[in-house]
Amino acid sequence: VADYRATVERCTAAEVGSVVAGALARAAAHSVVVPPGLDPSWVAGLEEAGLRLLEDRGEDGAPLGADQLDGVDAVVTASRVGIATTGTIVLDHQADQGRRALTLVPDQHVCVIRADQVVHDVPHAVALLDPGRPLTWISGPSATSDIELDRVEGVHGPRTLDVIVVVP
């Protein structure tokens, strides 16, 4: 995933909150959406860093709309599986990952994956996924090129992708 211009950091489980907070600080993020099932120790690290944490609920109790998400600097999620040979991370949008819009609208996505969730190739990853769940496959920050091959980032998703690999 680093080949696709994502920032990759490794840390222990005890360091995740502070490493995620550091990634958010590098991108000057102040407001962060956290899915409801995100590990409480990670959330505590973000609170300690003084970030403004938002739940995926507006004042009316409905999920945040596109305009509201566009005003958020970043999102922090867990992930379901990573694929070593392609540099791809797959989200299946369980409670620790939130709904798909959370990972596509804010300008920065910080995605945490445990080293034991990384498999060798696509067939191994597909074997671990539930085909009945929504799946988002991420291979770096959102980018496209125009006809002159000028790269433009952030068109179809986050401009910045930080991947935190939790090692034993």
Side-chain angles (χ1 to χ4, degrees):
V1 74
D3 290 343
Y4 294 114
R5 296 188 185 181
T7 300
V8 179
E9 292 186 76
R10 289 162 185 80
C11 68
T12 66
E15 298 169 319
V16 172
S18 63
V19 171
V20 169
L24 293 164
R26 281 192 303 279
H30 299 288
S31 58
V32 182
V33 175
V34 292
L38 201 62
D39 186 308
S41 68
W42 305 352
V43 175
L46 302 178
E47 289 171 337
E48 290 170 11
L51 293 159
R52 185 170 67 107
L53 304 183
L54 304 166
E55 294 181 20
D56 184 20
R57 280 196 317 244
E59 292 178 15
D60 60 359
L64 296 174
D67 288 344
Q68 292 165 307
L69 287 172
D70 194 40
V72 173
D73 298 322
V75 61
V76 177
T77 71
S79 55
R80 185 58 50 224
V81 66
I83 306 168
T85 57
T86 62
T88 303
I89 295 170
V90 184
L91 308 180
D92 66 0
H93 302 286
Q94 297 281 349
D96 60 355
Q97 299 156 52
R99 62 191 173 97
R100 192 164 193 246
L102 295 183
T103 63
L104 296 176
V105 179
D107 202 45
Q108 180 184 18
H109 181 186
V110 180
C111 187
V112 180
I113 186 165
R114 294 185 325 269
D116 65 1
Q117 291 177 290
V118 179
V119 298
H120 177 69
D121 56 21
V122 173
H124 286 102
V126 170
L128 298 173
L129 297 169
D130 176 354
R133 295 207 50 84
L135 301 173
T136 301
W137 297 63
I138 303 167
S139 294
S142 169
T144 190
S145 295
D146 65 15
I147 197 162
E148 295 174 354
L149 299 180
D150 291 327
R151 182 178 170 97
V152 179
E153 295 180 347
V155 176
H156 306 290
R159 185 181 329 267
T160 303
L161 175 64
D162 293 277
V163 177
I164 311 301
V165 181
V166 183
V167 296

